[in-house]
Each structure stands twice: as structure tokens, then as C-alpha cells.
Amino acid sequence: MTAETSRPKVILLAGFPNSGTTIASYILGQHPNIFATGELYGFPARQLKPLKVCSCGALAVACPFWTDVAAALMPLADASAAVRAQAVYASVCRHSGRPFIVDVA
Ligand SMILES: [Zn+2]
């Protein structure tokens, strides 16, 4: 079973603001099987803002990785938030090639 066909495995770090969840996610993301997404809540509207810069150095709205991930949502405009979230997680797994995702809430 590959990352494309398997159900995404999500590690969700939740904590109070400024409690270290983001840095903890980046540390976990150093593992070769884990992709750290940052905070995916509200994707793509909250993350792909016009002047926001991606960690790859590109403008977020032009980042090839995130625009490919966002494309998975195109046919799901009327779907529930849960269905859309699962599609984003699956797309992140598919495009990153990593079976685990760490998201921050
Ligand atoms: Zn990028």
C-alpha cells in the first residue's frame, strides 16, 4: 500500500497559543516518514494568501507543492469540512511521499 492509496495518518498537535506545538511539529517533521504541514486549519484560504511566503521560498499562492495539494479540493467545493480535510491530508501524503503528517491545531 502506498501513500497514494492508503488513508493518511495524521498526528495532530493541539495546545495553547505559544506553547511550542509548532516547533514540536517541525522537529517531528525532520523524520523521513513525517511531513510537517504547519497549521492546516482553514486550508487553503488561510495559508495561500497573496503575500505569504512558503517555507520553500516561493509565494504561497505560487508554490507548486501547495497549489497541487489545493487542486485536490477543486471537486469538493460543496463537501463537508471533514471530507475536505481528509482530501487535503491525502493530497499532502501523495505529494510529499510521506505516510505521516503532523498538523498543528
Ligand atoms: Zn512551497
Side-chain angles (χ1 to χ4, degrees):
M1 192 176 280
T2 68
E4 287 187 35
T5 58
S6 66
R7 210 171 153 181
K9 297 167 187 71
V10 180
I11 303 162
L12 182 62
L13 296 180
F16 290 105
N18 303 313
S19 64
T21 51
T22 300
I23 190 71
S25 76
Y26 293 150
I27 292 167
L28 289 170
Q30 295 302 303
H31 189 281
N33 287 337
I34 301 174
F35 186 87
T37 62
E39 189 175 325
L40 272 183
Y41 174 76
F43 183 83
R46 294 184 67 219
Q47 291 77 13
L48 303 186
K49 294 179 178 175
L51 298 178
K52 194 168 183 175
V53 178
C54 179
S55 62
C56 73
L59 285 174
V61 294
C63 169
F65 179 86
W66 289 112
T67 54
D68 284 350
V69 169
L73 292 175
M74 299 291 261
L76 301 172
D78 297 326
S80 70
V83 168
R84 291 172 56 82
Q86 183 159 351
V88 169
Y89 288 141
S91 187
V92 168
C93 282
R94 186 170 52 253
H95 288 93
S96 70
R98 298 183 188 186
F100 292 90
I101 296 168
V102 59
D103 188 5
V104 178

